[in-house]
């Protein structure tokens, strides 16, 4: 904590020295600082900001008061690399070509949020906390600073390597302090609450280890946001808190994630704080997804690009009625089983599996009642919406 306070003071001194004569006005679009925080494996329904009663997360609760909360946000895949590829490119997996955590590399020719912002004068920096997002995957394309220093000695399996999220926070904060710019895009990735659920001792309540890890992640987020405030960046910044996917927790027989596409695995939190806390406290009920992040950030920063996106700007205009796509090819690639795909509409969730499933997820959030047999018109409509993506599947080279 002492080191965190010293780091915050140091960053504040560096950044404020560069901007001490700036007038207290809303920054021009091109000057808007942008920060994206991804809390890996975080179910939205385990956040107190989303109404959860099992535990509190005071930092995210406070942030929610400054933000727009998207009630129904969905991931494109319950796997970290695939989901972050969609988060950074604005494309569904068939578009960016990454279909699993291992064996895939994001193609150089696909623009990312970081590469687009860098081309428009932004300093870009990231700190990640898992092997799955290491630099070699190219998911960090466009970041001039990309810290992926992991603790390889803590695991016998290299691909399981990770690091404490607070170390990632400190790495990104050091970079921010050295950047001397307000035109900055920073990405912070935390691997809490991904399994194994082993938060530091002060956060172990011995009630629910998953919630304990969320509590630790909340503390890290709180420290990072406090640093942004001390540095004079928070008020003018566009700040997004989200996750790549959720966690099964046994709800449909899957303890963790990667195979199934039920709501607990793909519904994620999404909170967007606009500069000067514009529209603070609003709630958007329409379904949105991770592919919406890139076009939304570009619209809010005034950055234009010829790149194509599968997502939409969901802040400046009404969210359109559409079908959101999600998939999991994990079981097919690793076990030779059937892959899964799904389509999410305003009220319905269709899962394309050997036995087709359809749920009214708003009325049945646990997705226990399969209405595929009695709502065939709705089922076929969603089935047709997601048709055509399978032909673009390719295994890793």
């Amino acid at each position: 904590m002492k080191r965190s306070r010293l780091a915050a003071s140091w960053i504040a001194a560096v950044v404020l020295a560069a901007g001490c004569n700036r007038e207290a006005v809303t920054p021009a679009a091109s000057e808007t600082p942008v920060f994206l925080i991804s809390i890996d494996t975080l179910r939205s329904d385990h956040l107190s900001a989303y109404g959860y009663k099992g535990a509190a997360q005071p930092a995210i609760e406070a942030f929610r008061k400054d933000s727009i909360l998207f009630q129904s946000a969905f991931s494109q895949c319950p796997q970290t690399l695939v989901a972050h590829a969609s988060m950074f490119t604005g494309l569904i997996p068939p578009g960016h070509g990454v279909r699993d955590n291992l064996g895939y590399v994001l193609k150089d020719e696909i623009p990312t949020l970081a590469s687009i912002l860098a081309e428009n004068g932004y300093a870009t920096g990231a700190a990640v906390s898992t092997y799955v997002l290491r630099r070699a995957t190219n998911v960090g394309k466009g970041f001039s600073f990309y810290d992926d220093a992991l603790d390889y000695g803590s695991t016998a399996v290299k691909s399981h390597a990770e690091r404490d999220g607070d170390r990632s926070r400190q790495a990104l904060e050091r970079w921010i302090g050295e950047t001397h710019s307000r035109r900055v895009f920073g990405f912070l990735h935390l691997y809490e609450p991904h399994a194994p659920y082993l938060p530091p001792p002060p956060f172990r309540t011995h009630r629910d280890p998953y919630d304990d890890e969320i509590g630790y992640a909340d503390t890290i987020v709180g420290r990072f946001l406090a640093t942004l405030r001390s540095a004079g960046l928070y008020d003018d910044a566009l700040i997004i808190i989200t996750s790549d996917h959720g966690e099964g927790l046994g709800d449909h027989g899957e303890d963790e994630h990667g195979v199934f596409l039920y709501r607990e695995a793909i519904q994620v939190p999404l909170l967007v704080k606009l500069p000067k806390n514009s529209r603070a406290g609003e709630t958007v009920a329409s379904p949105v997804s991770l592919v919406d992040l890139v076009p939304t950030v570009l619209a809010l920063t005034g950055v234009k690009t010829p790149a194509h996106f599968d997502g939409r700007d969901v802040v400046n205009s009404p969210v359109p009625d559409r079908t959101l796509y999600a998939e999991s090819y994990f079981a097919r690639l690793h076990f030779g089983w059937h892959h899964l795909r799904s389509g999410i509409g305003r009220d319905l969730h269709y899962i394309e599996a050997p036995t087709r499933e359809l749920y009214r997820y708003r009325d049945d959030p646990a997705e226990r009642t399969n209405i595929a047999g009695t709502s065939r018109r709705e089922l076929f409509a969603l089935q047709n919406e997601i048709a055509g993506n399978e032909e673009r599947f390719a295994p890793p080279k």
Side-chain angles (χ1 to χ4, degrees):
M1 289 297 292
K2 184 177 181 181
R3 287 195 298 270
S4 297
R5 288 194 295 271
L6 288 173
S9 300
W10 178 63
I11 292 173
V14 170
V15 177
L16 291 177
C20 60
N21 294 321
R22 187 179 60 85
E23 294 181 3
V25 296
T26 302
S30 60
E31 297 175 349
T32 303
V34 180
F35 299 98
L36 173 59
I37 303 170
S38 175
I39 306 173
D40 210 292
T41 321
L42 178 58
R43 285 175 58 153
S44 58
D45 61 0
H46 273 247
L47 282 181
S48 51
Y50 279 76
Y52 184 57
K53 304 301 182 183
Q57 300 90 25
I60 296 176
E61 279 187 41
F63 182 79
R64 188 275 177 269
K65 295 176 183 177
D66 293 341
S67 309
I68 304 171
L69 181 146
F70 290 83
Q71 202 170 58
S72 300
F74 292 91
S75 170
Q76 269 58 61
C77 180
Q79 290 185 277
T80 296
L81 179 59
V82 186
H84 281 92
S86 287
M87 191 186 298
F88 286 145
T89 66
L91 301 174
I92 62 175
H96 58 63
V98 178
R99 317 302 279 269
D100 191 64
N101 278 343
L102 300 176
Y104 287 89
V105 175
L106 185 65
K107 297 174 183 177
D108 279 331
E109 61 267 27
I110 297 179
T112 66
L113 178 58
S115 68
I116 295 168
L117 291 177
E119 290 169 357
N120 285 271
Y122 271 78
T124 55
V128 301
S129 304
T130 175
Y131 176 88
V132 174
L133 296 182
R134 68 199 183 283
R135 184 186 299 271
T137 64
N138 207 31
V139 75
K141 175 188 173 184
F143 287 106
S144 59
F145 170 82
Y146 196 81
D147 191 306
D148 60 353
L150 306 175
D151 181 9
Y152 288 98
S154 65
T155 178
V157 181
K158 187 177 182 180
S159 61
H160 292 174
E162 59 178 280
R163 69 170 163 185
D164 187 309
D166 209 42
R167 287 177 52 207
S168 298
R169 173 190 66 84
Q170 292 167 19
L172 187 61
E173 287 180 356
R174 285 193 295 271
W175 173 80
I176 294 171
E178 296 167 357
T179 301
H180 309 297
S181 174
R182 301 186 64 82
R183 204 174 188 185
V184 58
F185 171 43
F187 171 62
L188 176 62
H189 170 260
L190 308 179
Y191 211 43
E192 299 85 7
H194 194 285
Y197 314 131
L198 297 170
F203 296 90
R204 296 178 190 173
T205 66
H206 304 291
R207 292 192 299 269
D208 186 326
Y210 179 73
D211 285 346
D212 291 347
E213 284 244 320
I214 297 174
Y216 181 44
D218 180 74
T219 296
I220 298 170
V221 168
R223 292 170 182 169
F224 182 66
L225 297 179
T227 297
L228 297 184
R229 290 188 180 94
S230 297
L233 293 170
Y234 182 88
D235 287 345
D236 291 341
L238 167 62
I239 305 174
I240 299 171
I241 295 179
T242 189
S243 180
D244 53 350
H245 54 73
E247 187 77 313
L249 300 179
D251 287 3
H252 285 89
E254 184 177 26
D255 291 336
E256 297 180 19
H257 59 271
V259 177
F260 293 156
L261 293 177
Y262 296 108
R263 186 202 54 79
E264 64 267 13
I266 60 171
Q267 187 168 347
V268 297
L270 178 59
L271 300 110
V272 179
K273 188 203 83 70
L274 302 181
K276 301 300 184 184
N277 296 359
S278 176
R279 297 173 59 184
E282 283 191 21
T283 298
V284 175
S286 300
V288 299
S289 72
L290 294 183
V291 295
D292 296 324
L293 293 185
V294 174
T296 298
V297 169
L298 296 179
L300 291 170
T301 54
V303 172
K304 299 187 183 301
T305 174
H308 161 78
F309 306 114
D310 292 320
R312 303 285 187 274
D313 169 17
V314 295
V315 168
N316 290 314
S317 56
V319 179
D321 282 333
R322 56 192 170 149
T323 300
L324 306 176
Y325 176 82
E327 69 174 35
S328 173
Y329 279 76
F330 176 84
R332 173 172 169 173
L333 287 165
H334 294 270
F335 306 117
W337 301 346
H338 200 284
H339 61 270
L340 300 176
R341 302 190 300 164
S342 80
I344 303 115
R346 183 169 291 274
D347 302 296
L348 293 167
H349 181 198
Y350 164 67
I351 300 177
E352 187 174 86
T355 300
R356 292 176 296 185
E357 302 176 42
L358 184 68
Y359 301 96
R360 298 194 183 279
Y361 67 89
R362 294 192 188 277
D363 298 330
D364 178 23
E367 296 185 331
R368 297 297 183 188
T369 304
N370 181 5
I371 60 170
T374 58
S375 302
R376 298 179 67 81
R377 185 187 299 273
E378 292 94 336
L379 184 148
F380 288 130
L382 287 171
Q383 182 181 28
N384 289 335
E385 286 287 334
I386 67 170
N389 292 316
E390 163 65 12
E391 62 191 31
R392 287 190 276 173
F393 173 75
K397 296 180 180 179

